[in-house]
Amino acid sequence: MFAGIFYSSGIIGQPGKGRLVSPEVHPDCTVTFRFRAPAAGLVELSGEFLRERVPLEKDTSGIWSVTVGPVGPDLYPYSFVVDGTGVADPNNPHLFPNEGFQRSLVDIPGDPPLIHAMKDVLHGTVSYRYYRSGSLDLIRPLVIYTPPGYRDDGSTEYPVLYLVHGMTDTEETWFKVGRVNRILDNLIAEGKAEPMIIVMPYANPFPALLKKNRDTDVNLLRTDHFTSEMLREIIPFMEANYRVLGDPGHRAIAGFSLGGRQCLAAGLGHPEVFGWVFAFAPAIFDREMEGNFKNLYAVPEVLNANLKILSVSCGKDDGLIRSARALMNEFEERGIQYDSFITEGGHTWMNCRLFISEAAQKLFK
Amino acid sequence: MFAGIFYSSGIIGQPGKGRLVSPEVHPDCTVTFRFRAPAAGLVELSGEFLRERVPLEKDTSGIWSVTVGPVGPDLYPYSFVVDGTGVADPNNPHLFPNEGFQRSLVDIPGDPPLIHAMKDVLHGTVSYRYYRSGSLDLIRPLVIYTPPGYRDDGSTEYPVLYLVHGMTDTEETWFKVGRVNRILDNLIAEGKAEPMIIVMPYANPFPALLKKNRDTDVNLLRTDHFTSEMLREIIPFMEANYRVLGDPGHRAIAGFSLGGRQCLAAGLGHPEVFGWVFAFAPAIFDREMEGNFKNLYAVPEVLNANLKILSVSCGKDDGLIRSARALMNEFEERGIQYDSFITEGGHTWMNCRLFISEAAQKLFK
């Protein structure tokens, strides 16, 4: 009767059909995926734990399923491809915040738990804030991690990391997929990272600017909007509203992919602002220091004198590894000091979590 | 070249295919929905702005589309039904947080803007917190709205509303679908609501308890876990960590649907704790005050003396309107004072936003 009332009033999306368990992670780390589609001709699983798509099999009730693995412990994006059309798993509430695709997340727990696991430690806070950007004439979101014990009016001031998402990601992706709050909570609890504030802006102003007819040059390689927004809006907002330390030695910038490009432009262009620059698989192309970025970067002597760490991270199988190596070659040719952190794997958020875990252990020390 | 690298590295879900614009809200409030599915036989639109599903039409490139409306201004859930299988709109990043279905959200702006619109006013903060529940032996999430100007250590203490989601919703639903932060920001800016803190717990412990083999009686009509969690865990967490006023006159509880049931059990069972009880389309059935709830409610004299407002809200087309009227009849028979707020419409989140907007203007006055 109870379910009937809710079904008939339309609050349940699939009237008369129970929810499937999908994904189901078994104790041996094999995983079963299920999808109800009686009329489909082919349902495939596309997952970042697979080398290629795997077909599901349909039972007589129209439920498709497949069991794969064992899958190594991590948090992976996946989707179903239904007769060629990619969709998220309708039975899984854990979704990847993104404007370019829709994928679900499956969490394979590790033993011992991975650094992004929810552990019984002190937990920081993730806050959704809104600020008015005078530069863009838009109200913009910010997602902000404050560490355990942070108080608005406390006597402690904290270093701050500005952390930028990738192309088509949103201000939520480092939280919901990067799990940066859990990683920092755990590293701080283990004494491996300094307590810090992490600010995650929404770095893509184009959809809102287009809607307002305020910009028509949608060139994602542009970094001008981002750098201006950081310097003129976001840093002042943070310094007015949070207990943040205001010197470059306590101000870092990092970003993934397109966000890595943006962080290089803002960070290497403004060593008087950022003392730490971590580019994670940055979307920067061969010899751009000589081209697009020529007038953006400070001179090597200034960078070497001001930057505590300039670091480039990338996976060996990432399509951008060649560009990352070219960038590091340019740094060497120019005598710019840098670190690198090269991992296995590709252009993935599994690697992003490694990159931020490594960076967090070096920052502000 | 840029896009090519990202596509080939697998970061884009639909390689080689551009993103579709869906939904596209036109100036006349008609809306075009699009879905790419060359192999599908039938794609329908299911939306809470429609009386029944509407079929889309396929063009020669395999893209299905339909234009509907004009649609009245509001924020509506919708999904596509592809050969009978419901899926969210893969081109729309705005999703309805829910464990029982997956739907997308389309926002039809009003002129003047509706009370849940993002306006250029002072904005509060929405924080994601985690606490350890000793009662449940689980780490649990809380989503907390603090009003503009709130400071952890400020001299101002605030009244607090505990606000509970419906069946299969999550702690995010009142934020992402109910838009309670925007509603409160706007009402506070207009001087129509008192500044208050709003606490949104995750009211369904069963998935985690089942996983831990700590409970097998998954009966959603039970209210014991919820009431215990509120009194023993959530209120103490809030009073230890936020500037909240600690008397019943400044402590309210409200909830939608199953959350309305939970709020009636906790609120009417504990008038020494909650001075304000707002049940929004509560999932309570005929004459439960005589049955399941008999020993839960305080006596009428105590309720009348302690409650500032007891209120029942419901839509006239809601499947639960008959039960809501039966509940109000019972209140009358027993001499329990109550308010009611009966709207058009059904068991929807469009109505939830009306309910919370009305309640917020009465609370703590």
Side-chain angles (χ1 to χ4, degrees):
Chain A
M1 170 191 174
F2 185 61
I5 281 180
F6 284 88
Y7 289 154
S8 67
S9 67
I11 204 172
I12 297 293
Q14 298 185 304
K17 296 172 183 172
R19 188 180 158 221
L20 298 177
V21 177
S22 181
E24 182 179 6
V25 180
H26 305 286
D28 65 354
C29 294
T30 60
V31 189
T32 302
F33 296 86
R34 298 182 176 90
F35 186 76
R36 181 182 285 108
L42 175 63
V43 178
E44 298 165 291
L45 173 67
S46 167
E48 295 193 12
F49 45 86
L50 297 170
R51 292 206 169 270
E52 53 191 20
R53 292 182 191 170
V54 173
L56 283 71
E57 285 192 18
K58 184 167 73 166
D59 71 12
T60 52
S61 67
I63 295 170
W64 298 75
S65 67
V66 68
T67 299
V68 299
V71 177
D74 214 326
L75 179 71
Y76 300 95
Y78 73 96
S79 59
F80 295 120
V81 184
V82 183
D83 292 327
T85 297
V87 296
D89 182 345
N91 292 290
N92 180 353
H94 300 288
L95 292 150
F96 189 131
N98 192 281
E99 296 175 337
F101 57 79
Q102 208 165 80
R103 292 191 148 192
S104 304
L105 296 169
V106 57
D107 193 357
I108 315 292
D111 182 16
L114 298 187
I115 196 63
H116 63 257
M118 175 60 76
K119 299 185 190 176
D120 193 4
V121 297
L122 291 176
H123 299 290
T125 298
V126 177
S127 296
Y128 286 60
R129 297 290 304 253
Y130 302 90
Y131 68 96
R132 167 156 255 305
S133 164
S135 313
L136 295 168
D137 190 25
L138 294 172
I139 295 168
R140 301 291 283 169
L142 280 180
V143 174
I144 299 165
Y145 168 81
T146 46
Y150 176 84
R151 307 287 291 177
D152 290 328
D153 302 306
S155 57
T156 309
E157 294 188 308
Y158 293 85
V160 58
L161 166 64
Y162 295 88
L163 181 60
V164 193
H165 59 76
M167 188 174 74
T168 75
D169 295 326
T170 76
E171 73 280 5
E172 294 194 275
T173 312
W174 272 110
F175 169 32
K176 295 294 184 80
V177 187
R179 291 201 172 174
V180 66
N181 58 317
R182 300 191 191 190
I183 291 172
L184 264 289
D185 287 347
N186 292 332
L187 289 175
I188 292 168
E190 294 172 19
K192 293 180 177 168
E194 296 295 315
M196 65 183 81
I197 293 174
I198 301 183
V199 182
M200 294 160 270
Y202 175 41
N204 180 9
F206 292 112
L209 290 175
L210 284 173
K211 206 182 238 179
K212 287 194 159 192
N213 292 317
R214 293 199 50 250
D215 200 332
T216 52
D217 178 20
V218 179
N219 176 353
L220 292 172
L221 295 183
R222 282 172 60 182
T223 57
D224 55 336
H225 280 311
F226 176 80
T227 298
S228 154
E229 190 70 4
M230 279 303 306
L231 301 184
R232 293 171 56 186
E233 308 290 343
I234 297 173
I235 291 174
F237 176 87
M238 286 307 300
E239 303 201 340
N241 290 283
Y242 285 82
R243 303 287 291 166
V244 294
L245 291 159
D247 62 296
H250 294 96
R251 194 187 292 119
I253 188 162
F256 170 55
S257 193
L258 185 62
R261 178 186 186 82
Q262 292 164 329
C263 115
L264 285 170
L268 300 190
H270 297 276
E272 78 285 6
V273 177
F274 300 102
W276 311 74
V277 178
F278 284 79
F280 304 149
I284 183 166
F285 303 103
D286 296 354
R287 306 202 75 79
E288 276 201 276
M289 289 193 82
E290 289 179 358
N292 293 334
F293 276 44
K294 189 175 179 185
N295 299 317
L296 282 180
Y297 285 178
V299 298
E301 295 70 25
V302 173
L303 292 177
N304 290 341
N306 285 271
L307 290 186
K308 306 281 185 183
I309 292 182
L310 162 62
S311 176
V312 178
S313 307
C314 199
K316 288 178 191 168
D317 301 327
D318 191 317
L320 291 167
I321 185 69
R322 197 171 60 89
S323 292
R325 294 200 196 281
L327 177 67
M328 291 188 278
N329 284 339
E330 284 200 272
F331 288 155
E332 281 185 27
E333 287 168 20
R334 287 158 192 264
I336 298 171
Q337 294 156 10
Y338 71 98
D339 278 359
S340 69
F341 179 57
I342 306 301
T343 62
E344 304 300 314
H347 200 71
T348 70
W349 278 85
M350 290 81 81
N351 263 343
C352 279
R353 286 185 294 273
L354 293 182
F355 300 155
I356 189 65
S357 300
E358 195 256 358
Q361 295 178 64
K362 289 185 172 169
L363 275 168
F364 311 125
K365 289 182 175 173
Chain B
M1 171 190 175
F2 186 60
I5 281 181
F6 284 87
Y7 289 153
S8 66
S9 66
I11 206 173
I12 297 293
Q14 298 184 307
K17 296 172 181 173
R19 188 181 158 220
L20 298 178
V21 177
S22 182
E24 182 178 4
V25 180
H26 305 287
D28 65 355
C29 294
T30 59
V31 189
T32 301
F33 296 86
R34 297 181 178 91
F35 186 76
R36 181 182 285 108
L42 175 64
V43 178
E44 299 165 291
L45 173 67
S46 167
E48 295 193 11
F49 46 86
L50 297 171
R51 292 206 168 270
E52 54 193 20
R53 292 181 190 169
V54 173
L56 282 72
E57 284 191 19
K58 184 166 73 166
D59 71 12
T60 53
S61 67
I63 294 170
W64 297 75
S65 67
V66 68
T67 299
V68 299
V71 177
D74 215 325
L75 179 72
Y76 300 94
Y78 73 95
S79 58
F80 294 120
V81 184
V82 184
D83 292 326
T85 298
V87 296
D89 183 344
N91 292 291
N92 180 353
H94 300 288
L95 292 151
F96 189 131
N98 192 281
E99 296 176 336
F101 58 80
Q102 209 165 80
R103 292 190 148 194
S104 304
L105 295 168
V106 57
D107 193 357
I108 316 292
D111 182 16
L114 299 186
I115 196 63
H116 63 256
M118 176 59 77
K119 298 184 190 177
D120 193 4
V121 297
L122 293 176
H123 298 291
T125 299
V126 177
S127 296
Y128 286 59
R129 298 290 304 254
Y130 302 90
Y131 68 97
R132 168 158 254 304
S133 166
S135 313
L136 294 168
D137 190 25
L138 294 171
I139 294 167
R140 302 291 283 169
L142 278 180
V143 174
I144 299 166
Y145 168 81
T146 47
Y150 176 85
R151 306 287 290 177
D152 289 330
D153 303 306
S155 56
T156 309
E157 295 187 308
Y158 293 85
V160 58
L161 166 64
Y162 295 88
L163 181 61
V164 193
H165 60 75
M167 189 173 76
T168 75
D169 295 326
T170 76
E171 72 281 3
E172 295 194 273
T173 312
W174 271 110
F175 169 34
K176 295 293 184 82
V177 188
R179 292 201 170 173
V180 66
N181 59 316
R182 300 192 191 190
I183 290 171
L184 264 289
D185 287 346
N186 292 333
L187 289 175
I188 292 168
E190 294 173 18
K192 292 180 178 169
E194 296 295 314
M196 66 183 82
I197 294 175
I198 301 182
V199 182
M200 294 160 270
Y202 175 40
N204 180 9
F206 291 111
L209 290 175
L210 284 173
K211 205 182 238 178
K212 287 193 160 193
N213 291 319
R214 293 199 51 250
D215 200 332
T216 52
D217 178 20
V218 179
N219 176 354
L220 293 172
L221 295 183
R222 281 172 61 181
T223 57
D224 55 337
H225 279 313
F226 176 79
T227 298
S228 155
E229 191 70 4
M230 280 302 307
L231 301 184
R232 293 173 55 186
E233 308 290 344
I234 297 173
I235 292 174
F237 175 87
M238 288 305 301
E239 302 199 341
N241 290 284
Y242 285 81
R243 302 288 292 166
V244 294
L245 291 160
D247 62 296
H250 294 95
R251 194 187 293 120
I253 188 163
F256 171 55
S257 194
L258 184 63
R261 178 187 185 83
Q262 292 164 329
C263 114
L264 285 170
L268 301 190
H270 297 278
E272 79 284 5
V273 177
F274 300 102
W276 311 74
V277 178
F278 285 78
F280 304 149
I284 184 168
F285 303 103
D286 296 354
R287 306 203 74 77
E288 275 201 280
M289 289 194 82
E290 287 178 0
N292 293 333
F293 276 44
K294 190 175 179 183
N295 299 316
L296 282 180
Y297 285 180
V299 297
E301 295 71 24
V302 173
L303 292 176
N304 289 342
N306 285 270
L307 290 185
K308 306 281 187 184
I309 291 183
L310 162 62
S311 176
V312 178
S313 306
C314 200
K316 287 178 190 166
D317 301 327
D318 191 317
L320 291 167
I321 185 69
R322 198 171 59 89
S323 291
R325 293 201 197 281
L327 176 68
M328 291 188 278
N329 283 340
E330 283 199 272
F331 288 155
E332 281 185 27
E333 286 168 20
R334 287 158 191 263
I336 298 171
Q337 293 157 9
Y338 71 97
D339 278 359
S340 69
F341 180 57
I342 306 300
T343 63
E344 303 300 316
H347 201 70
T348 70
W349 277 85
M350 291 79 82
N351 263 343
C352 280
R353 287 185 294 272
L354 293 182
F355 300 155
I356 190 65
S357 300
E358 196 254 0
Q361 295 179 64
K362 289 185 172 170
L363 275 168
F364 311 124
K365 288 183 176 174

